[in-house]
Amino acid sequence: MGVPRDYKLLVPREWFRIDLMQDRWRAQLKTFVDRQAEGRNVPAELTQKVWATLRNTAEAGRARGAMEFYLLTTSRDGGLPASLLVSLVPLGETPADPQKYAAWLEVREPEGPSPRQVSVVDLPAGTAVRVLGATTLDVHTLMPGGLGYLTLSFSAPLMGMSGPMERLCDAMAGSLRWVL
């Protein structure tokens, strides 16, 4: 298989997409936050805190190669939404072999307060390293042509990453396809 020109990912229409490659991403993010607070009697301090947290997440993600940011509000009170950050991680220091990458991630990111499960899985788009935490799921899929890993970083801060949310995120990761 050659080097992909792009990728396709199926994301449910309820997820709000922010293109981090465009200069207008901050305005898109502000629109999302304002829409979520609209008509819900959400305190201004909470709206500002959610905006700042999401903006910081997007900025940190952009610094690490993030291209897209998807948001899904599952909270009725305007709290932090579930999210997906799509990033390109060039090989550089990262091992090209997914088994070695999984071991590298375990050493690089030791156990925190909540246990993580690191595994190597086969997806239709290729071999991937799956890292499941209490509120997060990262899927690092090896890109054809030795470009690196396309990383799907899911976060569900309010409901956690189990049950239906975990299955939904796995289904989204399983929909990844390369455009050659």
Side-chain angles (χ1 to χ4, degrees):
M1 184 180 283
V3 176
R5 289 180 294 126
D6 204 353
Y7 63 91
K8 289 185 180 184
L9 184 68
L10 295 178
V11 178
R13 77 180 70 191
E14 297 84 22
W15 290 65
F16 187 89
R17 179 183 179 266
I18 298 169
D19 184 348
L20 295 176
M21 304 299 285
Q22 301 291 326
D23 288 336
R24 67 181 189 271
W25 72 265
R26 284 183 186 83
Q28 291 174 329
L29 184 58
K30 183 76 170 115
T31 298
F32 172 81
V33 171
D34 290 345
R35 281 186 192 164
Q36 296 313 305
E38 195 173 274
R40 291 192 179 166
N41 228 5
V42 177
E45 309 84 56
L46 178 59
T47 301
Q48 182 59 32
K49 185 177 179 179
V50 168
W51 156 248
T53 300
L54 293 175
R55 183 198 62 227
N56 292 343
T57 300
E59 286 175 350
R62 279 181 48 127
R64 292 186 318 274
M67 302 173 289
E68 295 181 292
F69 194 24
Y70 292 90
L71 300 163
L72 171 67
T73 296
T74 54
S75 165
R76 298 282 182 234
D77 65 0
L80 283 174
S83 65
L84 163 60
L85 200 59
V86 181
S87 306
L88 172 61
V89 179
L91 285 180
E93 313 175 356
T94 59
D97 176 76
Q99 294 289 345
K100 290 179 181 174
Y101 188 45
W104 183 79
L105 284 173
E106 284 184 354
V107 170
R108 187 168 175 254
E109 300 172 18
E111 289 291 326
S114 60
R116 295 177 316 131
Q117 299 170 348
V118 179
S119 58
V120 176
V121 296
D122 287 322
L123 298 177
T127 304
V129 178
R130 184 179 186 274
V131 183
L132 177 65
T135 60
T136 61
L137 171 63
D138 294 335
V139 179
H140 308 271
T141 306
L142 183 61
M143 295 178 67
L147 292 179
Y149 289 88
L150 189 74
T151 298
L152 308 178
S153 297
F154 297 95
S155 176
L158 298 177
M159 64 182 4
M161 192 56 68
S162 63
M165 183 56 78
E166 181 182 358
R167 288 190 296 278
L168 173 63
C169 294
D170 278 332
M172 289 166 64
S175 76
L176 177 64
R177 300 292 187 271
W178 304 116
V179 177
L180 301 174

